[in-house]
Amino acid sequence: MSQIVSMTINGEERELALEPYRSLLDTLRNEGGLTGTKKGCDVGDCGACTIIMNGKPVNSCLVLAVEAAGAMIETIEGLQLAPDKPHPLQEAFMRYGSAQCGFCTPGIIMMAKALLDENPNPTEDEVRFGIAGNICRCTGYTKIIEAILATAADLQRAKSA
Amino acid sequence: MTIHDKTFESKFAVVGRSVKRSDTLEKVTGTACYAGDVALPGMLHGKTKRSTVAHAIIKRIDVSKALALKGVKAVLTHENVPRVLHYGSPHPRSASVTRDQYILDNRVRYWGEGVAAVAAISEEIAEEALDLIEVEYEPLPAVFTIEDAMRDGAPVIHDNGLPQNQVLPPVIVERGDVEKGFADADFVIEGEYELGRPTPAYMEPNICVAQWDGNGKLTFWSSTQTAFMVRGALAEVLGIPLNKVRVLVDHMGGGFGAKQDLFQHEFLCALLARETNRPVRMEFTRKETFLGGRTRHPGRIWLKQGFRKDGTITAREAKVLFNSGAYGSHGPGVTNVGTAALTSLYRCENVRLEGRCIYTNAPIAGAFRGYGVVQTYYALDLQMDEAAEKLGFDPAEFKLKNAVREGDIAPSNHPIVGHGLEDCIRRGMEETGWPAVRRHGRDTGVKRRGWGIGCEMHGSSAYPGIKEQGNAIVKMNEDGTVTLLTGTAGLGTGAHTALSQIVAEELGVPFETISVVQGDTDVVPWDIGAFASHTTYMGGRAAQIAAADVRRQVLAHAAPQLGATPEELTIRDGVIVVEGSNRSMTLAEAVAPQRGMPAIQLVGVGTYTPTKSYSFAAHFVEVEVDTETGEIRVLQVIPVHEIGKVIHPIAAQGQIEGGIQQGIGHTLSEDYVIDHQTGRSLNAGFVDYKMPLSMDMPPIRTIILETAPDPGGPYGAKGVGEDPIIAIGPAIANAVYDAIGVRFRRYPITPEHVLAALRTKKQEVA
Ligand code: FES
Ligand code: FES
């Protein structure tokens, strides 16, 4: 029996009809039509499904959609500041070549956003620790870490300017 | 940080610059479409039932309960699918791959093999239905190791007429006179090297979606590196013509070689869709991606070499034994390439090499970045390190002395172009301050450090195993913009960007004016697929040829308008100029339709059938070994690569950094393990299959040389995809020796191995 659950996704209030056993990940991808969030394992091991829920990064495959009733959800699709204006993290990931196959990318960018929201000026070790639960099999992480650190520095500069 | 040596002055406008990759905006914004993102009206979900025994005949399979479950639309077993023997990886039906699989067989050959498939209105119902399928197995004796499979009286896994469960007749490579070589030696060394079972572990699980239209045409979305091969296999097995199968691959989440194969579910998905007359989607779980996926060939290498006192290699003999698992897949190709690789890297005139590949009831080994060479060069490079020490040489000097040179005959029987390997070793020695950095086991504390060097060379393209071909079509539109149609897949390497750069360079137009059409077998020209480090080398060259064709046509068309001959014209940044004059016009002006006239047709076609070029690398690595926990940490890597002309530096670095990550995993932690009683997999998931993640990855300071451009590649470019994963392993193992004085002739080298070896060493000393 499906039930109606409402949540705010990327600033838009949504009412979604879903089965009670549905994960938030499947709900976002299927009922929500937001396929930017990826499924790499479905059991909480890879971070590809990372989204921000009520300000905190979570593996959306481990959250039941019904548990997200009333929650504020941010996904990769909501990150762009305007249609032609990517978020600074997205800009940096492009500039530094941080996305190869791109399958881990939405999850890592969301994790990085949560990280920078909480700690705007992280050290390299803090960045490495922050994305420790996100598997990337293509890049060796070098360019991902460069991009996150560069974004932090840019945001700091912008703030002090 | 990256150092990028410019050994010749850049005369290029677009090539060699890290332009913004054309595919990344979609990736960072989450709009990139992967096969798993395709949703069609009425779409059903397919699931595979997998065997719970390693080797058995299916005596009875009862699907009645599953079919009766509400929401189940179809169930397939070996009893109702076509029985067609097919290639596991249909590379133009070449000898590199075997033809030994059925969609579903009445026999299972490994634990986790698909035995039935269900389509239902939801994934959950499909899964429930799997549990309702009753399978009665008549167990057969199973073998998991090479030794057991080759033994007299071992069960025959495939009746291919060869004894001892061999996948192919032994590969024998002989050059010179190995007996004489050993007789001439002052010093002989031999050793046996044990190879674990790493898996590619790409982030996107295998996935496909199938849809039939009313005219009997199949549209098929798949995460594959070889769209045209998938098309060919589907058409052959389903008995339909090629123009009735359209394979679509937009983005894919990694493949690393393994996604050249077909994994049963492609056929099952197409058949379920046909049977139900509805679209069907089949996505592997992560566990299935391990179970039904492909691994690198595990096995064993015995290697013996003779040396003169001055360090010259007089003879090399090897026996390479690979465990193919339950099916042949790329076993023949991997065995040939890996074995033949031992003719080279370090010069030796007298070699005798033997390679064998053996069926067992283990998981299927297939193609994986480094294709047999990871294994054989691991053994070779470790032994060279050991020989250097025994003969009193520094290992880098020793490898430099024996390094393959310009004009030497490569494994493919081509002469080597340029001094790539020597340049890499020299440059790495300078960069690290070699040999002063080496520790020679001097450290005595709990944590001990060491440096090691590992070398490799690898061919771009699978020639001579497969005669490959890349094709491209370049069209210039009537506003001067350009459309490139390429058959090559976008694995995530940035290949389409590199191809666009090559087209822009050849035409003399800005990079931004090129757009790429790819990933649709109905539209783009035939392509063999993306593998063998050949995408830029081969696909790029085809694109260059097509662009040159368009350029000729454009200049012929513009010449009368500018009152000049085509030979006097050049195109720079989208403007056609008459050399040595002030006459010019933009491309857009030149090709725009004149009033009342149709546009001119500007289409160029490029076909390129490469032979082979070789890229080279030397990796320098510092490790730290914790003698209490046995943990090995890689502290830094300095990879020096010679890859000819670099088209997109950041993308090339990305290949190197990512290859190093996978290679560190292979060497230190990754091993897909099965229980040798049952064949059941023991670590089919990311928690237990341990890969290096952000906290484990060391800083990497990549150095790229362009000293030996290849005349066959576009602007002298060569491949880079596979090289980095080959050199890193031996570099780590050799560094571990420098740190603690123990030679591990195996991978992975886990903390348990380190602790056990240190204990043994202590006892020996005591
Ligand atoms: S898909 Fe959620 S952690 Fe892997
Ligand atoms: S870019 Fe492929 S997994 Fe990260």
Side-chain angles (χ1 to χ4, degrees):
Chain A
M1 262 289 280
S2 43
Q3 60 192 80
I4 305 287
V5 174
S6 56
M7 56 185 94
T8 307
I9 307 175
N10 299 328
E12 184 188 341
E13 218 169 301
R14 302 278 301 262
E15 287 198 341
L16 303 168
L18 47 90
E19 304 291 334
Y21 51 73
R22 273 276 143 124
S23 69
L24 181 56
L25 171 60
D26 282 343
T27 302
L28 290 170
R29 289 182 50 85
N30 301 331
E31 286 78 9
L34 298 167
T35 52
T37 307
K38 298 298 179 212
K39 184 191 284 187
C41 70
D42 212 21
V43 289
D45 294 341
C46 77
C49 64
T50 307
I51 54 133
I52 298 177
M53 177 164 143
N54 297 328
K56 294 268 178 262
V58 296
N59 286 335
S60 60
C61 69
L62 292 183
V63 179
L64 284 176
V66 288
E67 294 176 87
M72 299 286 286
I73 306 288
E74 295 167 63
T75 73
I76 190 73
E77 288 91 347
L79 211 55
Q80 260 166 286
L81 308 172
D84 57 347
K85 205 167 169 352
H87 185 275
L89 272 166
Q90 293 171 318
E91 287 282 8
F93 269 61
M94 288 193 277
R95 195 165 62 246
Y96 285 88
S98 317
Q100 284 189 31
C101 81
F103 206 76
C104 69
T105 308
I108 293 188
I109 289 181
M110 294 314 284
M111 184 54 92
K113 170 161 193 298
L115 176 74
L116 296 187
D117 284 350
E118 197 175 300
N119 176 5
N121 202 3
T123 62
E124 181 183 326
D125 281 348
E126 286 167 340
V127 171
R128 284 186 184 271
F129 184 73
I131 59 167
N134 292 79
I135 302 180
C136 174
R137 189 61 162 168
C138 297
T139 64
Y141 292 95
T142 315
K143 298 193 181 325
I144 291 173
I145 289 158
E146 276 175 3
I148 298 173
L149 287 170
T151 308
D154 282 353
L155 291 176
Q156 286 296 309
R157 253 196 307 278
K159 226 197 277 164
S160 56
Chain B
M1 187 191 122
T2 300
I3 301 169
H4 184 213
D5 276 16
K6 282 261 167 276
T7 46
F8 47 88
E9 206 200 328
S10 184
K11 51 182 194 290
F12 300 111
V14 190
V15 153
R17 299 187 200 289
S18 292
V19 296
K20 201 180 226 181
R21 270 178 62 169
S22 49
D23 61 343
T24 43
L25 181 64
E26 298 137 84
K27 285 175 179 167
V28 300
T29 53
T31 49
C33 185
Y34 297 77
D37 301 333
V38 172
L40 302 168
M43 187 168 77
L44 300 173
H45 298 268
K47 283 274 163 202
T48 309
K49 184 170 181 76
R50 296 183 176 276
S51 72
T52 50
V53 289
H55 199 191
I57 304 278
I58 297 176
K59 253 173 79 181
R60 192 181 60 93
I61 186 157
D62 184 350
V63 301
S64 51
K65 288 196 188 109
L67 269 174
L69 183 69
K70 195 168 160 233
V72 171
K73 299 295 174 191
V75 182
L76 299 176
T77 70
H78 69 90
E79 289 167 357
N80 61 351
V81 299
R83 187 173 171 80
V84 182
L85 197 62
H86 66 83
Y87 286 92
S89 191
H91 282 244
R93 314 164 72 91
S94 82
S96 293
V97 286
T98 54
R99 183 184 218 166
D100 56 7
Q101 284 178 258
Y102 294 99
I103 303 171
L104 295 172
D105 200 355
N106 60 353
R107 180 168 160 195
V108 299
R109 294 179 174 82
Y110 70 101
W111 195 91
E113 178 162 7
V115 295
V118 170
I121 56 168
S122 75
E123 274 190 275
E124 291 81 4
I125 294 174
E127 245 155 49
E128 212 181 317
L130 295 184
D131 290 337
L132 298 174
I133 299 174
E134 292 166 15
V135 192
E136 200 181 317
Y137 295 105
E138 180 183 313
L140 297 170
V143 285
F144 304 105
T145 63
I146 295 169
E147 296 69 46
D148 287 347
M150 293 182 82
R151 202 163 279 153
D152 281 350
V156 176
I157 297 169
H158 291 273
D159 203 359
N160 62 0
L162 295 171
Q164 295 181 307
N165 278 309
Q166 293 181 86
V167 175
L168 71 162
V171 172
I172 308 286
V173 183
E174 278 185 286
R175 288 186 188 176
D177 181 343
V178 84
E179 308 300 336
K180 186 175 167 300
F182 279 118
D184 286 349
D186 299 315
F187 166 73
V188 174
I189 185 170
E190 68 174 274
E192 206 165 29
Y193 300 83
E194 213 185 305
L195 316 164
R197 182 184 281 124
T199 85
Y202 33 76
M203 278 301 289
E204 177 195 32
N206 298 64
I207 165 92
C208 60
V209 179
Q211 183 183 38
W212 296 83
D213 72 8
N215 296 318
K217 179 163 179 169
L218 171 65
T219 303
F220 197 79
W221 291 260
S222 181
S223 177
T224 178
Q225 297 171 227
T226 48
F228 284 91
M229 301 302 112
V230 170
R231 180 182 74 159
L234 286 170
E236 181 175 348
V237 174
L238 302 177
I240 49 177
L242 290 173
N243 64 359
K244 292 282 189 188
V245 186
R246 178 186 188 191
V247 177
L248 298 168
V249 192
D250 192 352
H251 290 282
M252 65 180 294
F256 310 119
K259 284 183 184 167
Q260 297 172 57
D261 274 25
L262 285 109
F263 300 80
Q264 287 184 289
H265 73 304
E266 292 89 350
F267 302 109
L268 294 169
C269 192
L271 289 169
L272 287 168
R274 187 155 75 180
E275 172 117 354
T276 56
N277 207 10
R278 285 170 70 165
V280 176
R281 174 185 197 272
M282 271 180 111
E283 182 182 26
F284 278 16
T285 62
R286 177 52 57 184
K287 186 173 174 191
E288 285 184 288
T289 305
F290 278 93
L291 295 188
R294 300 291 178 266
T295 73
R296 185 180 300 295
H297 284 74
R300 218 171 51 228
I301 294 166
W302 171 83
L303 178 65
K304 178 178 167 189
Q305 293 184 94
F307 295 86
R308 262 199 285 276
K309 278 201 202 78
D310 67 359
T312 314
I313 309 170
T314 60
R316 181 179 301 143
E317 200 180 351
K319 290 192 167 69
V320 177
L321 267 175
F322 286 149
N323 185 337
S324 183
Y327 291 93
S329 177
H330 281 254
V334 166
T335 310
N336 269 290
V337 172
T339 304
L342 287 173
T343 55
S344 195
L345 188 61
Y346 303 116
R347 324 174 80 185
C348 177
E349 280 170 10
N350 307 306
V351 296
R352 184 168 64 215
L353 314 168
E354 190 186 297
R356 286 172 201 261
C357 189
I358 307 298
Y359 285 120
T360 66
N361 298 109
I364 308 171
F368 182 6
R369 195 178 200 176
Y371 208 80
V373 182
V374 163
Q375 293 95 317
T376 54
Y377 280 179
Y378 189 78
L380 178 59
D381 206 278
L382 262 59
Q383 191 170 80
M384 287 295 285
D385 225 71
E386 196 173 346
E389 185 188 33
K390 298 251 161 77
L391 288 163
F393 286 90
D394 170 81
E397 290 289 357
F398 191 65
K399 289 171 186 178
L400 184 59
K401 177 183 164 53
N402 286 295
V404 64
R405 314 255 162 92
E406 175 144 40
D408 285 359
I409 299 302
S412 61
N413 292 323
H414 283 82
I416 295 286
V417 176
H419 301 271
L421 183 54
E422 296 160 272
D423 292 341
C424 291
I425 299 174
R426 279 204 193 93
R427 183 58 198 274
M429 290 175 75
E430 272 167 39
E431 206 63 36
T432 51
W434 197 277
V437 287
R438 300 192 69 227
R439 311 292 302 163
H440 302 284
R442 263 199 312 267
D443 288 6
T444 52
V446 170
K447 295 190 175 181
R448 301 178 193 175
R449 294 186 173 190
W451 276 88
I453 168 182
C455 300
E456 67 86 44
M457 60 191 271
H458 197 65
S460 322
S461 100
Y463 189 87
I466 303 176
K467 210 146 193 219
E468 306 187 324
Q469 194 182 88
N471 294 295
I473 295 174
V474 171
K475 302 198 290 186
M476 186 170 283
N477 305 303
E478 59 269 33
D479 62 354
T481 61
V482 178
T483 306
L484 162 68
L485 286 81
T486 173
T488 203
L491 257 77
T493 57
H496 295 139
T497 301
L499 264 53
S500 302
Q501 285 178 274
I502 289 164
V503 169
E505 186 73 49
E506 195 64 30
L507 281 168
V509 301
F511 171 74
E512 294 71 28
T513 62
I514 315 286
S515 72
V516 181
V517 176
Q518 60 96 22
D520 182 342
T521 58
D522 263 6
V523 173
V524 299
W526 189 89
D527 187 280
I528 195 162
F531 57 87
S533 305
H534 69 193
T535 306
T536 301
Y537 175 68
M538 180 182 77
R541 188 58 193 264
Q544 185 187 18
I545 293 167
D549 188 3
V550 170
R551 186 174 183 278
R552 249 188 319 273
Q553 296 173 39
V554 170
L555 294 184
H557 182 71
Q561 300 180 58
L562 283 159
T565 64
E567 294 71 38
E568 292 167 312
L569 305 182
T570 337
I571 314 176
R572 263 196 301 270
D573 208 23
V575 180
I576 308 174
V577 291
V578 183
E579 287 291 12
S581 85
N582 56 6
R583 273 171 298 150
S584 70
M585 69 195 303
T586 66
L587 259 177
E589 286 166 352
V591 302
Q594 302 304 312
R595 202 182 161 81
M597 298 291 283
I600 52 161
Q601 175 82 309
L602 295 165
V603 180
V605 179
T607 289
Y608 186 55
T609 306
T611 54
K612 195 111 175 172
S613 75
Y614 281 86
S615 298
F616 304 90
H619 285 194
F620 292 75
V621 169
E622 186 182 21
V623 301
E624 182 176 82
V625 184
D626 185 321
T627 55
E628 274 173 5
T629 62
E631 193 200 354
I632 300 168
R633 264 198 88 76
V634 179
L635 298 179
Q636 58 172 315
V637 185
I638 301 181
V640 189
H641 283 252
E642 195 294 310
I643 55 173
K645 175 66 196 161
V646 176
I647 306 295
H648 191 291
I650 285 185
Q653 291 155 23
Q655 286 301 298
I656 293 167
E657 291 159 4
I660 286 172
Q661 174 187 16
Q662 294 179 351
I664 291 176
H666 286 22
T667 314
L668 299 180
S669 62
E670 293 182 29
D671 200 5
Y672 180 41
V673 191
I674 57 163
D675 171 28
H676 279 189
Q677 298 302 317
T678 59
R680 186 193 184 103
S681 76
L682 299 178
N683 57 346
F686 283 146
V687 169
D688 298 317
Y689 182 85
K690 191 76 196 69
M691 304 186 288
L693 305 182
S694 60
M695 306 277 285
D696 311 301
M697 282 304 295
I700 299 169
R701 187 148 57 95
T702 304
I703 300 172
I704 300 179
L705 310 177
E706 299 182 306
T707 48
D710 189 86
Y715 303 105
K718 301 190 288 194
V720 65
E722 294 173 276
D723 296 81
I725 201 173
I726 305 171
I728 181 74
I732 292 173
N734 294 332
V736 169
Y737 178 74
D738 192 44
I740 58 169
V742 179
R743 291 205 186 270
F744 293 95
R745 295 180 189 86
R746 60 161 294 120
Y747 66 71
I749 309 168
T750 66
E752 295 76 46
H753 295 118
V754 172
L755 291 178
L758 287 174
R759 267 196 303 275
T760 314
K761 198 177 169 212
K762 219 178 192 170
Q763 279 158 9
E764 277 165 10
V765 173

